[in-house]
Amino acid sequence: MKYDAYLASVMKRKSDTFYPEMVPQAALDTIIASHVASAQLVDAAKKALFYGKPNKVLASLIEATPVGDDFEGDEDILHAILGIMTEAAEIGEKRNAPFIELKDELGDLLWYVTLLAECLGTNLEELFKMNDAKLEA
């Protein structure tokens, strides 16, 4: 499925209603801040694992954690997952920023999504098609 067709499907299915009374702004801000804070730890782990960058908070957490088995699995998949988690949090954190900053973070998120798709032997057009079929059902 090509991007334009997927976009048309997304726009057809997206909600046109908004219920701000269901979650007050202060509560939403707290929820997003909590996610951003946990994503900062995820980002520190990603930077340590894949770029060799130490982090004091992460080091303290590691010292307080019992030693377990070494990581087993596909490192590129892990890299993509951690990147998706951190970039999604950055988008949430910058939700009121100028669009150019949001586009920059969205580009970073897309980079990690593309890496994960490649690791899974697929591509974005195939994912568009699969997701559209799932939502159609």
Side-chain angles (χ1 to χ4, degrees):
M1 173 177 270
K2 296 291 184 188
Y3 176 77
D4 287 343
Y6 185 67
L7 176 60
S9 175
V10 167
M11 297 311 288
K12 180 176 81 174
R13 291 190 177 93
K14 78 172 190 65
S15 175
D16 289 326
T17 55
F18 183 64
Y19 304 95
E21 68 279 4
M22 299 295 294
V23 182
Q25 185 65 50
L28 181 61
D29 290 344
T30 300
I31 292 164
I32 292 171
S34 174
H35 179 72
V36 167
S38 62
Q40 288 170 341
L41 276 176
V42 172
D43 191 48
K46 178 192 74 176
K47 288 176 178 172
L49 286 167
F50 296 101
Y51 305 106
K53 294 182 179 180
N55 178 285
K56 290 179 184 178
V57 175
L58 183 61
S60 299
L61 180 63
I62 292 169
E63 286 176 15
T65 305
V67 176
D69 294 333
D70 290 335
F71 173 74
E72 293 180 16
D74 186 311
E75 291 89 357
D76 285 341
I77 290 175
L78 178 62
H79 189 189
I81 290 169
L82 295 177
I84 289 167
M85 293 171 70
T86 59
E87 295 305 330
E90 287 180 24
I91 289 170
E93 184 177 31
K94 294 182 178 182
R95 67 194 176 282
N96 296 320
F99 282 2
I100 190 68
E101 290 182 37
L102 288 170
K103 286 180 180 180
D104 183 54
E105 297 304 333
L106 186 58
D108 293 344
L109 178 66
L110 186 57
W111 189 92
Y112 286 110
V113 168
T114 302
L115 174 61
L116 183 57
E118 181 65 24
C119 290
L120 300 176
T122 190
N123 59 59
L124 297 180
E125 289 183 356
E126 184 177 335
L127 292 172
F128 295 162
K129 183 178 178 181
M130 290 171 55
N131 183 250
D132 189 59
K134 178 182 86 171
L135 295 175
E136 191 68 34

